[in-house]
Every structure is written in C-alpha cells, then in structure tokens.
Amino acid sequence: MFRKIAILGLAVFSSAGLCAAQAGGRPDDIQLGMEGLKEAQKDPALMAQLMRDMADPEMMAEAQKMMDDPKFKADMKKMQNTKEFKESVKATQEKLSDPNQAAAAEAKMEHMLKVGNDQMKKAAEGSLDDAMNSMLGNKDVMNDMAEMVKDPNFKKQFDEMMKDPSFRQYMDSMGEMMKDPSKKAKFEQAAAGLKDAL
C-alpha cells in the first residue's frame, strides 16, 4: 500500500506539480520539491534515498512542520486548483486503477529501489575505503583523528550524526565491509594507529 501511495504521489506531484509551480515564476519550496521528485523518478539512488527519508520519523516531522506552514498550505491549495494538477491526478488514478499498469509501476519502483540501494551501498563503501586509505600511513591524519576523539563534545556530536540517515548508511556499510577480511584488516590497522595516537 505504501508503495502505491508513493507511486501516486510521485506521478502526480512531479508532472502536474512542477508545471503549476513553474507557472508562478518563483522558486519556492513546492517547486524545489517537485524538481526533486522529478529527478528521483530518473535516478535510482535518489529514489532510494527519498524512500529512506520518508521512513525516517525526524525527517517526516520536519516535512510536517513545513506542510503546516500557512504559506505552504496556500501555495499547495493554489497548485491543487490548477488544470494541470487535476488532470494529472485523474490520469494517475486511472493508471493505478488498471491492475496491469499498477503492477508495472510498482515493479518499476521496486527495481529502481533495488538498483538505488545498491548504488548507495557501493558509494558509501567507496567513501569509507578512501577514508581508510587516507588514514593508513599518514600520521597527520591519525593525529587529527585522535584530537577529534579526545574532544569532550565528540560523543555528543557523534550521537547527533547518528540521527542523520545518510551517516547511518555509512555505519551500516562499515558493518558490511567488516565481512571482507582485507577490509577488516584495514579497519583494525587504522584502529591500532588511532589507539597509538591517543
């Protein structure tokens, strides 16, 4: 059900919403949101990130605050009254009422999410691997890391970073990388170097 709602939202808002928002001639939150949704339909990694963000309670609380703003509500009402928006809603509802088209749209989204999640995982692993390589054998980087860890505010800052979905993704990737013996050895070597610097 969630996927069908997401498909409906993406289809309606990215097609009609972007046209209606652009008709106003000013880049506002709605127009930027519509452009993001339109891009997400073409970019699997962006789509996967969008779906993760939509599942994050903090992100959704921020989105709710924005949607509760009177200016946002007025802009949305204006957009919903446009011919383009109404036509797009009707076309999307008709498409999703056809079981074959609805299944095809859901399958496309599932495929995009799988590809996008794989892309995000590879990007996170690549970034972590680059970070490990820059730390190993570089005393200056290791000393900088040690100073950061010694900072009394580090734990608080780290806890705040853990609330960020993209940072949690890097941490999840680290767990996956630890399954690879050569990467695990790099992590252990970096941890030993950090311990020495402390």
Side-chain angles (χ1 to χ4, degrees), residues 110-165:
E110 289 293 338
H111 175 71
M112 279 189 76
L113 289 174
K114 182 184 181 322
V115 171
N117 282 321
D118 288 346
Q119 288 174 347
M120 290 171 66
K121 180 181 171 188
K122 286 177 184 168
E125 287 177 359
S127 295
L128 285 169
D129 207 30
D130 291 345
M132 286 296 113
N133 289 333
S134 69
M135 285 174 63
L136 295 173
N138 188 330
K139 279 197 156 199
D140 290 337
V141 172
M142 202 58 76
N143 288 334
D144 288 346
M145 287 285 296
E147 288 303 313
M148 185 176 72
V149 171
K150 287 177 192 174
D151 184 335
N153 292 320
F154 175 73
K155 183 178 180 340
K156 184 180 175 186
Q157 292 168 345
F158 185 79
D159 290 342
E160 283 299 312
M161 287 167 55
M162 283 299 289
K163 293 177 184 176
D164 181 342

Side-chain angles (χ1 to χ4, degrees), residues 10-181:
L10 287 170
V12 169
F13 284 107
S14 63
S15 57
L18 184 58
C19 295
Q22 286 174 335
R26 60 184 174 78
D28 57 10
D29 289 340
I30 296 175
Q31 183 175 346
L32 292 173
M34 297 310 130
E35 288 170 2
L37 289 173
K38 192 171 183 181
E39 281 304 306
Q41 288 184 314
K42 301 180 218 167
D43 182 341
L46 191 57
M47 174 69 78
Q49 185 62 55
L50 174 66
M51 294 308 259
R52 286 183 186 195
D53 290 347
M54 288 173 69
D56 182 274
E58 286 187 29
M59 293 285 273
M60 293 313 293
E62 286 301 312
Q64 188 61 52
K65 281 184 197 173
M66 183 185 74
M67 289 187 286
D68 289 340
D69 180 89
K71 182 186 178 314
F72 182 87
K73 285 181 178 181
D75 288 346
M76 279 299 293
K77 188 172 184 178
K78 184 178 174 184
M79 184 184 73
Q80 289 170 340
N81 287 327
T82 64
K83 180 182 174 186
E84 294 92 348
F85 185 86
K86 289 176 181 177
E87 287 175 356
S88 184
V89 169
K90 185 179 177 188
T92 302
Q93 287 174 335
E94 286 172 4
K95 184 184 276 190
L96 292 180
S97 68
D98 177 335
N100 293 330
Q101 289 189 44
E106 196 163 355
K108 180 181 177 185
M109 180 176 255
E110 289 293 338
H111 175 71
M112 279 189 76
L113 289 174
K114 182 184 181 322
V115 171
N117 282 321
D118 288 346
Q119 288 174 347
M120 290 171 66
K121 180 181 171 188
K122 286 177 184 168
E125 287 177 359
S127 295
L128 285 169
D129 207 30
D130 291 345
M132 286 296 113
N133 289 333
S134 69
M135 285 174 63
L136 295 173
N138 188 330
K139 279 197 156 199
D140 290 337
V141 172
M142 202 58 76
N143 288 334
D144 288 346
M145 287 285 296
E147 288 303 313
M148 185 176 72
V149 171
K150 287 177 192 174
D151 184 335
N153 292 320
F154 175 73
K155 183 178 180 340
K156 184 180 175 186
Q157 292 168 345
F158 185 79
D159 290 342
E160 283 299 312
M161 287 167 55
M162 283 299 289
K163 293 177 184 176
D164 181 342
S166 57
F167 185 76
R168 283 198 308 261
Q169 178 188 335
Y170 281 103
M171 297 306 289
D172 293 344
S173 293
M174 191 180 294
E176 284 294 311
M177 289 175 74
M178 293 297 272
K179 294 175 185 175
D180 179 329

